[in-house]
Amino acid sequence: MNPLLNKLQPYPFEKLRELFAGIQPNSAYSPISLGIGEPKHPTPAFIQNALADNLGGLASYPSTTGAEGLRAAIAGWLERRYGLPKVDAATQVLPVNGSREALFALAQTIIDPRPGALVMCPNPFYQIYEGAAYLAGAEPYFVNSDPARNFAPDYRSVPADVWERVQLLYLCSPGNPTGAVLTLEDWKELFGLSDRYGFVIAADECYSEIYFKSVAPLGGLEAAQQLGRSDFRRLIAFSSLSKRSNVPGMRSGFVAGDAEIMKKFLLYRTYHGSAMSPSIQSASIAAWNDEQHVAENRAKYISKFNDVTPLLQEVLDVQLPDAGFYLWAKVPRLSDTEFAKRLHAEYNVTVLPGSYLARDAHGINPGQNRVRMALVAEVSECLEAARRIVEFTQKLS
């Protein structure tokens, strides 16, 4: 067996199952889960119809590059969404089976597994980054998020001898779990570091279409364009339909950016066998070409967060995030694991301990004493969960 598999930690939800083992939740309450970030809003009918109308595609082997029409739809969306003058659909765009598998696969393409190779990750983080680093033969290096800087990772704290070993940097903007969005100044700093040390930036942007301000979150390709880097050198952006269009089961997303890296990534994927079903491609074209359903979906989240956040602020240290569908709350009096365990047992509400989403790094675990709450269900269920959390927390005092 591959010995690198022994470096992988259990996924956060496996840890959560162990934490809840043997607990019989209070039967007076129906179960409500805010633990998993799985969209629960209905899938738009026009996407379902596009899939059903193109089931004939199941009779054909798909190409790894994807249909020209899908690449064109993605390039068009990027140009509209981020104000990009031109995205080359043939060389700068590649459809993928969801951003998760592509985030993992990119590390296998980029990393030269020589001794000392590093992959830089935010902390807290999406655990795929860590697993991708280990299985590519590198080690993860965690940069803690700073609450005083809107949870932005403190890259200025990283020593030069660490930067010299970094080959790939994962970032998530809007962030999971913090909801923080990188600013243009943040991107300028990262591009400068990439130029100096030669690492590739992997920008995970799958939450980009759920936001609460009048201005949409800045994307990596958009920042590159504004900073005179229209070739997107050493930058690959990832996006997905899962959250934007409420189709997590379609496993449809894309990568876009540096054409030279994309060429090598396509070569890797040709061997890896990661082509998207033609039927899914047809439904994806319909989804990328429509913005009305995205605006309606976003309006639901805005209404939900505006209702739920003030309730929780009565008892928890929590703020409306820049974007995404998580609340990242600091909990009082108990550890994050004990808070989650007792809330589940006494009120049948599931939240995810923040320490499960982070690692001990530089003397702290930045997820400690925080919980992540995914407000993915309909508003009535999220409000009921918030009321129970308020009652539970008030009882603690």
Side-chain angles (χ1 to χ4, degrees):
M1 299 297 290
N2 184 344
L4 297 176
L5 288 168
N6 296 324
K7 295 187 175 185
L8 300 184
Q9 291 201 28
Y11 217 57
F13 307 113
E14 295 177 39
K15 294 181 178 179
L16 194 63
R17 282 192 290 271
E18 291 181 8
L19 181 69
F20 291 168
I23 294 176
Q24 185 64 43
N26 188 341
S27 60
Y29 298 99
S30 59
I32 299 178
S33 178
L34 307 181
I36 298 179
E38 180 182 36
K40 297 296 185 183
H41 296 171
T43 299
F46 81 93
I47 299 177
Q48 297 182 40
N49 293 337
L51 178 60
D53 291 344
N54 289 278
L55 293 180
L58 297 177
S60 304
Y61 277 121
S63 68
T64 306
T65 55
E68 183 177 342
L70 175 56
R71 296 198 311 275
I74 293 169
W77 180 81
L78 284 167
E79 291 165 4
R80 295 189 302 273
R81 168 63 172 82
Y82 295 115
L84 305 177
K86 179 62 178 175
V87 175
D88 189 331
T91 65
Q92 295 180 314
V93 171
L94 189 63
V96 297
N97 294 311
S99 56
R100 175 175 178 164
E101 63 92 358
L103 286 161
F104 179 87
L106 184 72
Q108 318 314 306
T109 304
I110 296 296
I111 297 302
D112 172 4
R114 61 179 182 265
L118 293 178
V119 171
M120 187 165 287
C121 306
N123 195 29
F125 65 104
Y126 183 37
Q127 195 159 318
I128 296 301
Y129 310 155
E130 178 187 60
Y134 282 136
L135 289 173
E139 293 286 327
Y141 182 93
F142 297 107
V143 183
N144 292 338
S145 296
D146 183 359
R149 301 175 62 243
N150 191 31
F151 299 103
D154 185 11
Y155 293 114
R156 295 179 184 179
S157 68
V158 179
D161 63 335
V162 170
W163 283 118
E164 290 168 357
R165 297 159 53 200
V166 174
Q167 298 184 22
L168 177 64
L169 181 148
Y170 283 111
L171 61 84
C172 189
S173 178
N176 173 10
T178 67
V181 174
L182 295 184
T183 66
L184 188 62
E185 191 60 35
D186 293 329
W187 278 108
K188 184 178 181 180
E189 178 183 0
L190 284 172
F191 288 146
L193 290 164
S194 174
D195 288 344
R196 189 180 315 161
Y197 296 105
F199 58 80
V200 173
I201 299 174
D204 180 356
E205 299 176 350
C206 67
Y207 298 94
S208 67
E209 303 313 289
I210 301 171
Y211 53 89
F212 308 101
K213 299 178 181 178
S214 58
V215 178
L218 179 69
L221 301 180
E222 181 182 18
Q225 178 68 37
Q226 292 182 15
L227 293 169
R229 304 170 67 90
S230 57
D231 58 354
F232 308 135
R233 57 189 176 276
R234 290 185 298 279
L235 172 64
I236 300 292
F238 299 72
S239 193
S240 166
L241 290 173
S242 294
K243 282 81 175 174
R244 172 189 185 274
S245 300
N246 296 305
V247 288
M250 269 183 33
R251 310 310 303 140
S252 179
F254 69 81
V255 297
D258 186 319
E260 289 302 312
I261 295 175
M262 295 287 287
K263 185 177 180 180
K264 294 293 187 182
F265 192 41
L266 174 59
L267 174 64
Y268 172 85
R269 295 180 68 75
T270 301
Y271 280 83
H272 194 65
S274 301
M276 184 187 295
S277 161
S279 303
I280 298 295
Q281 292 190 54
S282 296
S284 300
I285 291 171
W288 288 118
N289 283 336
D290 183 82
E291 286 301 314
Q292 180 177 344
H293 78 285
V294 183
E296 292 170 355
N297 186 48
R298 183 163 52 247
K300 283 187 176 182
Y301 280 109
I302 291 172
S303 175
K304 190 187 315 185
F305 272 74
N306 285 340
D307 288 343
V308 170
T309 307
L311 274 178
L312 293 174
Q313 285 176 328
E314 296 176 11
V315 293
L316 300 176
D317 180 358
V318 61
Q319 303 299 322
L320 185 72
D322 291 338
F325 52 45
Y326 301 115
L327 287 175
W328 183 235
K330 190 172 184 179
V331 298
R333 299 176 187 85
L334 299 176
S335 69
D336 54 309
T337 51
E338 187 64 20
F339 185 95
K341 187 175 182 179
R342 286 188 53 183
L343 178 65
H344 177 67
E346 297 173 29
Y347 286 86
N348 215 346
V349 173
T350 299
V351 298
L352 190 64
S355 59
Y356 290 0
L357 295 163
R359 297 287 181 263
D360 293 341
H362 320 297
I364 64 169
N365 181 315
Q368 190 172 15
N369 297 326
R370 291 186 177 271
V371 295
R372 191 189 77 177
M373 295 175 278
L375 301 189
V376 291
E378 295 294 345
V379 64
S380 58
E381 188 172 32
C382 290
L383 280 170
E384 172 60 20
R387 294 186 189 103
R388 294 186 201 176
I389 292 170
V390 169
E391 185 175 335
F392 168 70
T393 310
Q394 287 174 335
K395 189 173 70 172
L396 294 178
S397 62

